[in-house]
Amino acid sequence: MREIEERYRREARDGRLMLQQCTDCRHVQAFPRAFCSRCGGREVAWKQASGRGTVAAITTLHRAPTADYRDKVPYVIALVDLAEGVQVMGHAAPDLAIHDPVSAGFALHGERHLLFFDHADRRSA
Ligand SMILES: [Zn+2]
């Protein structure tokens, strides 16, 4: 499990949002695990997400979940439907609204690279 998390973080550091796809049933999952969440298969392959998606839900947090987020509040969290058909949650630009097309990137917070969504037309790559 640790290995899987480390791989995900390493890719994030290089700006790549990774998904996993089951080699048996082709199910795509956003939360990295050692097995397929649909069929339980142990063969899951990494797959780079396009980063394209649409905002499904959005909320502004006014209280930090942990001390190291205290300097970030208030901040916006969006639930995004990725083009690959899975939902992921990430930080988001404050002026996004539901149904807006977005593209994924990463924002550095301390030593962590947080998934960050911005307007699709604001990010060129
Ligand atoms: Zn499967």
Side-chain angles (χ1 to χ4, degrees):
M1 192 62 221
R2 236 189 105 204
E3 210 173 284
I4 293 171
E5 274 179 37
E6 275 168 12
R7 168 72 187 269
Y8 179 86
R9 286 205 194 124
R10 200 164 59 235
E11 301 279 5
R13 206 165 50 219
D14 293 336
R16 286 187 291 273
L17 171 60
M18 300 305 284
L19 304 172
Q20 289 179 317
Q21 185 165 33
C22 176
T23 55
D24 290 330
C25 76
R26 313 305 295 163
H27 174 65
V28 177
Q29 57 192 22
F31 186 75
R33 324 159 207 245
F35 57 89
C36 170
S37 62
R38 185 161 76 188
C39 76
R42 310 292 292 185
E43 296 289 321
V44 280
W46 291 98
K47 172 188 165 81
Q48 186 179 349
S50 64
R52 301 262 156 201
T54 310
V55 176
I58 196 150
T59 185
T60 302
L61 297 190
H62 294 277
R63 295 178 91 177
T66 55
D68 60 329
Y69 283 89
R70 214 160 275 158
D71 60 330
K72 280 186 84 76
V73 289
Y75 61 86
V76 174
I77 293 287
L79 187 63
V80 170
D81 289 317
L82 289 181
E84 287 78 8
V86 290
Q87 281 193 328
V88 291
M89 201 175 272
H91 289 250
D95 58 343
L96 281 171
I98 289 177
H99 304 313
D100 277 353
V102 289
S103 64
F106 288 89
L108 191 61
H109 177 65
E111 292 185 344
R112 301 190 58 183
H113 290 76
L114 303 175
L115 185 56
F116 187 90
F117 290 99
D118 203 348
H119 292 272
D121 52 11
R122 197 180 290 169
R123 208 185 290 272
S124 50

